[in-house]
Amino acid sequence: MRVVAEIPHAAVKITVFAWNGKYLIKLERGPYEQTYKISEMEVATDEAIKQLLDETFINEAVGLFQQMHHNLMLALERIE
């Protein structure tokens, strides 16, 4: 697996990897991460990946991070 790009963003850390005919787009925020796997045939260039990661995509991902945090907090409350 090799790092293709690190894309700066204020809300999340974005790292793009190439591996086994796929791009892995890893988003990190605090202790949480999301990984999206996309065939190299779906996006031809690094620039196409950046276009995919528009503000709508990032905003939706941030919402998922918030839901992940909420889910974890609820689970931790159940075991206390």
Side-chain angles (χ1 to χ4, degrees):
M1 186 171 348
R2 68 179 175 85
V3 175
V4 173
E6 290 184 5
I7 302 170
H9 195 279
V12 294
K13 178 181 179 189
I14 304 170
T15 309
V16 180
F17 300 92
W19 181 68
N20 209 20
K22 295 184 179 2
Y23 287 112
L24 282 70
I25 301 169
K26 182 172 151 182
L27 306 173
E28 297 175 77
R29 182 174 170 132
Y32 307 106
E33 62 182 48
Q34 300 173 38
T35 302
Y36 298 85
K37 295 178 184 177
I38 303 171
S39 169
E40 288 180 351
M41 299 174 102
E42 300 259 349
V43 286
T45 65
D46 295 355
E47 191 58 38
I49 293 171
K50 291 176 184 174
Q51 290 174 353
L52 176 73
L53 300 173
D54 63 9
E55 283 306 306
T56 301
F57 184 93
I58 298 297
N59 289 338
E60 292 291 330
V62 168
L64 286 174
F65 281 124
Q66 292 167 343
Q67 186 63 50
M68 292 167 74
H69 178 73
H70 177 75
N71 292 347
L72 180 59
M73 293 301 106
L74 290 176
L76 289 171
E77 286 177 11
R78 289 193 301 272
I79 63 171
E80 290 179 354

